[in-house]
Amino acid sequence: MKLGGQTRHRRAIAGLSALALVSMAGLTACGSDESSSNDASAAPTTSLPADPADGAPVKVGFISPEGGAAVSIPEYRQGAEAAVKYVNDNAGGLAGRPVELVVCKQQEEPTSATKCANELVEQGVAAVLTPGTSMGQVIVPIISGAKIPYVTLNAVSAAELSSPGVSALSSGLPGSLTTTATAAKDAGLKKVTIFASDGGGIGTVISQMGGPIFQGMGVDLKVVPIPLGVPDPTPMVTAGLSEKPDGISVVADAGTCASVLKAVQTQDPNVKKLLIPTCLDPNVTKVVGMDAIKGNIGITATDYLSDQPDTVLYRSVMGQYAPDLSITGAGSSGYQVVLGLVRASKDVQGEVNAASIAQALKSAKDVEMPAGGGITFTCDGTAFPQMPTLCSTQMLYGPLNDDGVPVDLKLAGQKPSA
């Protein structure tokens, strides 16, 4: 897909940076249930084999958004720590070596983020992981400058979307738009309105990027910008609903999503909703009410509840090593980014260091996303060439059950060209 040359490409990168905090929470809140069970505790698990790693440990940095006044997600770290225990005790390690997770907590502000990046470089880590952060523009230049691979689930800053040393395992906004369009087509919708927080011109970015995607699915797309900080989005919602769309979606933080959905419920409660994970956050569903959510369509990058072997493995690891964490919570993102790195690095030969891991990441093809419901990633720049750090265009979608979790998941998006 062409976005109209370098100028438009730079505008898209800049606009996507405004979605940092949206995307941080955006891929952590949903799952599936092919067995039709809504109860995560009743979903099957399995015993884990004993396959301990040996040799000198490989230091892997983990930047955790934790302890800040506005953002603190310790579950990311706890999920990552559970994954490391599994890798070291049950999965033979990273290329045969045990992983030593070097955790640095930063408060989602530049001073602590810079300190973390410098500390991890000084520690000599072989890679730096984070499920997501709004501080990528600060962290990435330091990590990449030290020639250390940086792996994230959710790339949102300009540095994360364009720096050669970055691998973003999830599909970000391109994947979200592709999946929303696919779900709309699957549901027989002909017109969809997206309400978008308009910081950094993101409404224009979504129109430029999403228009061709939706058009290719035979769905008309209208994007209605919601100014940041607007106390009441009702006038914008009224305008967006005036053309009688068959479905609506929201690309915004949880607070804005809740306000938009409340206005939608007042004006057109029966319109089909296609909801990204941010809009399925408990802070949204408590405000809007689960009756307004269930039965609609949810978008996700994580399969929590099905009987697929990799999902059963996920539940088994979390049950053994992080039993107090919610299966359908943010801990899954820490698990995914750790195990994603390990899977991509399985063919490393010789010394396991920053250079060999970087090469492995760029060489690995169609790696199975942990607990990804069939999503694969390939980090050679072919998934979405306009944003070469993105390793996938795939996400999942399905109807929302009574708990606001997508079930009976289907895969949207394509594998990169060979």
Side-chain angles (χ1 to χ4, degrees):
M1 174 200 337
K2 294 183 179 179
L3 298 181
Q6 271 309 109
T7 299
R8 189 175 294 176
H9 173 63
R10 286 194 295 268
R11 189 184 305 131
I13 294 290
L16 285 172
S17 299
L19 286 178
L21 292 179
V22 175
S23 295
M24 278 183 61
L27 297 178
T28 62
C30 308
S32 85
D33 177 12
E34 293 178 355
S35 62
S36 302
S37 167
N38 291 344
D39 185 1
S41 65
T45 58
T46 188
S47 59
L48 301 176
D51 185 11
D54 58 20
V58 179
K59 288 186 177 182
V60 174
F62 187 87
I63 294 179
S64 180
E66 195 168 343
V71 177
S72 183
I73 313 176
E75 294 87 355
Y76 281 171
R77 169 183 52 80
Q78 293 162 347
E81 290 169 342
V84 167
K85 290 178 181 176
Y86 162 71
V87 167
N88 290 345
D89 294 344
N90 310 104
L94 190 161
R97 301 261 297 277
V99 173
E100 178 185 340
L101 198 67
V102 183
V103 175
C104 191
K105 302 173 184 178
Q106 56 88 18
Q107 288 77 55
E108 287 300 302
E109 49 77 36
T111 300
S112 62
T114 300
K115 182 173 181 289
C116 267
N118 284 322
E119 286 182 359
L120 293 177
V121 171
E122 292 169 3
Q123 287 272 352
V125 298
V128 170
L129 312 181
T130 182
T133 178
S134 64
M135 293 290 108
Q137 203 68 17
V138 173
I139 295 168
V140 169
I142 297 171
I143 301 303
S144 294
K147 300 189 183 307
I148 298 170
Y150 174 96
V151 182
T152 182
L153 284 184
N154 306 311
V156 288
S157 68
E160 289 173 310
L161 287 162
S162 58
S163 298
V166 174
S167 297
L169 305 186
S170 288
S171 57
L173 183 60
S176 179
L177 291 173
T178 298
T179 306
T180 302
T182 303
K185 177 183 178 181
D186 194 29
L189 309 182
K190 299 300 182 182
K191 296 170 63 176
V192 170
T193 294
I194 293 179
F195 299 97
S197 285
D198 203 33
I202 193 64
T204 301
V205 173
I206 290 174
S207 292
Q208 293 172 342
M209 185 183 295
I213 295 173
F214 278 75
Q215 186 178 25
M217 298 287 180
V219 181
D220 291 334
L221 173 65
K222 178 179 180 180
V223 178
V224 176
I226 305 292
L228 290 177
V230 66
D232 182 5
T234 298
M236 284 71 77
V237 171
T238 300
L241 295 175
S242 63
E243 296 182 13
K244 303 297 181 183
D246 305 305
I248 65 98
S249 186
V250 187
V251 178
D253 62 276
T256 301
C257 190
S259 298
V260 169
L261 291 179
K262 283 181 65 178
V264 168
Q265 282 302 106
T266 299
Q267 298 183 46
D268 189 358
N270 296 319
V271 68
K272 198 71 169 179
K273 303 172 188 71
L274 304 109
L275 301 177
I276 66 172
T278 307
C279 294
L280 297 172
D281 184 279
N283 293 321
V284 176
T285 58
K286 288 177 183 176
V287 170
V288 179
M290 196 59 73
D291 286 343
I293 301 296
K294 64 184 182 181
N296 287 284
I297 300 171
I299 312 296
T300 182
T302 308
D303 174 5
Y304 296 115
L305 300 177
S306 80
D307 291 341
Q308 290 194 34
D310 205 48
T311 297
V312 174
L313 173 65
Y314 161 70
R315 289 194 299 269
S316 303
V317 171
M318 299 297 275
Q320 181 160 332
Y321 294 120
D324 294 332
L325 280 185
S326 169
I327 291 297
T328 57
S332 63
S333 292
Y335 172 91
Q336 285 181 307
V337 75
V338 168
L339 200 54
L341 173 70
V342 170
R343 289 179 176 178
S345 303
K346 68 181 180 63
D347 292 329
V348 168
Q349 301 295 321
E351 187 175 357
V352 184
N353 55 26
S356 62
I357 289 177
Q359 180 59 40
L361 284 165
K362 298 306 179 186
S363 302
K365 304 288 186 183
D366 297 332
V367 180
E368 184 178 10
M369 175 71 81
I375 293 172
T376 63
F377 62 86
T378 296
C379 297
D380 62 1
T382 60
F384 194 78
Q386 297 91 337
M387 297 173 192
T389 67
L390 297 183
C391 300
S392 179
T393 63
Q394 297 177 314
M395 290 185 71
L396 309 165
Y397 67 96
L400 292 162
N401 69 12
D402 291 348
D403 299 318
V405 177
V407 299
D408 301 325
L409 292 181
K410 297 180 180 179
L411 183 65
Q414 298 178 341
K415 293 182 180 180
S417 300

